[in-house]
Amino acid sequence: MPSKSPSQHCLMAAVAHNPAFAKKVGIPTKVGKEFASADEGKKFKGGGLYENINAKRERISEGSNEKMRRVGSKGAPTAEAFRESAKTAKLKSGGVSLSVGRGEKLSVDRGAGLTQKGRDKYNRETGSHLKAPQPQGGSRKDSFCARMSGVVKHAAGDAPRAKASLKRWNCPGW
């Protein structure tokens, strides 16, 4: 039996590949594997606001008896939902444009990474909450060092910006 939603697909994939999780949620691994094999080749999209709206429009055009809700009615997306969705939508240009010349990020010689001006711009345009480096220590430093070390190890090229940022954060071995 194929999954009916992306969340069901994820659940059944987890059940199929992790017996401890399957026991925890009370679904036999065999059932998860049946769902996973039925879902093979099937693509599940994320359920973002615009994807949901477009899917509903498609169903209506195919003859479902659904109707689009009016703005402000119960159950309709609010203006705030659209603002939040716009913050997390993928940017067509490929991301936020940050440059060394405008003072938004540091050169490799100065340790790479973003300046406060760059973090502010990135946060404003994407709705993120980037914080300043934590080179003195702490959980954020440990996490950053672990992630960035992987970037350097698996980079196709030399990864000079990643190496410089590891040095700036005082990561062990850099």
Side-chain angles (χ1 to χ4, degrees), residues 80-103:
E80 179 63 24
F82 281 102
R83 278 194 295 276
E84 288 300 312
S85 180
K87 286 181 182 177
T88 59
K90 290 184 181 175
L91 300 173
K92 289 182 181 178
S93 63
V96 179
S97 174
L98 300 170
S99 78
V100 174
R102 290 190 301 261

Side-chain angles (χ1 to χ4, degrees), residues 13-29 33:
V15 166
H17 300 293
N18 189 340
F21 178 73
K23 186 175 181 181
K24 181 179 177 182
V25 295
I27 301 173
T29 307
K33 288 181 180 179

Side-chain angles (χ1 to χ4, degrees), residues 9-174:
H9 170 73
C10 291
L11 173 70
M12 291 303 175
V15 166
H17 300 293
N18 189 340
F21 178 73
K23 186 175 181 181
K24 181 179 177 182
V25 295
I27 301 173
T29 307
K30 181 181 176 185
V31 173
K33 288 181 180 179
E34 288 174 11
F35 272 84
S37 66
D39 290 345
E40 217 166 277
K42 192 174 180 184
K43 292 186 179 181
F44 285 97
K45 295 181 180 179
L49 177 63
Y50 289 102
E51 288 179 16
N52 291 342
I53 290 171
N54 289 330
K56 187 169 186 175
R57 284 183 180 152
E58 213 172 278
R59 290 193 307 269
I60 290 170
S61 69
E62 291 173 359
S64 77
N65 291 328
E66 297 175 274
K67 296 199 185 306
M68 296 299 283
R69 293 186 178 110
R70 295 195 183 277
V71 176
S73 67
K74 185 179 177 185
T78 61
E80 179 63 24
F82 281 102
R83 278 194 295 276
E84 288 300 312
S85 180
K87 286 181 182 177
T88 59
K90 290 184 181 175
L91 300 173
K92 289 182 181 178
S93 63
V96 179
S97 174
L98 300 170
S99 78
V100 174
R102 290 190 301 261
E104 296 161 344
K105 59 184 183 179
L106 298 173
S107 66
V108 174
D109 299 338
R110 293 186 46 213
L114 299 179
T115 62
Q116 185 60 49
K117 181 179 177 182
R119 283 190 297 277
D120 291 342
K121 179 177 179 179
Y122 189 86
N123 291 341
R124 186 175 54 253
E125 292 188 20
T126 64
S128 297
H129 301 287
L130 294 180
K131 298 177 183 173
Q134 189 183 28
Q136 302 80 21
S139 60
R140 285 184 43 235
K141 176 185 176 180
D142 298 339
S143 174
F144 176 83
C145 293
R147 285 181 287 119
M148 208 41 76
S149 296
V151 168
V152 171
K153 285 179 190 170
H154 298 98
D158 191 30
R161 292 192 67 79
K163 288 179 181 176
S165 64
L166 284 165
K167 190 174 182 180
R168 182 170 178 230
W169 277 63
N170 298 325
C171 293
W174 299 95

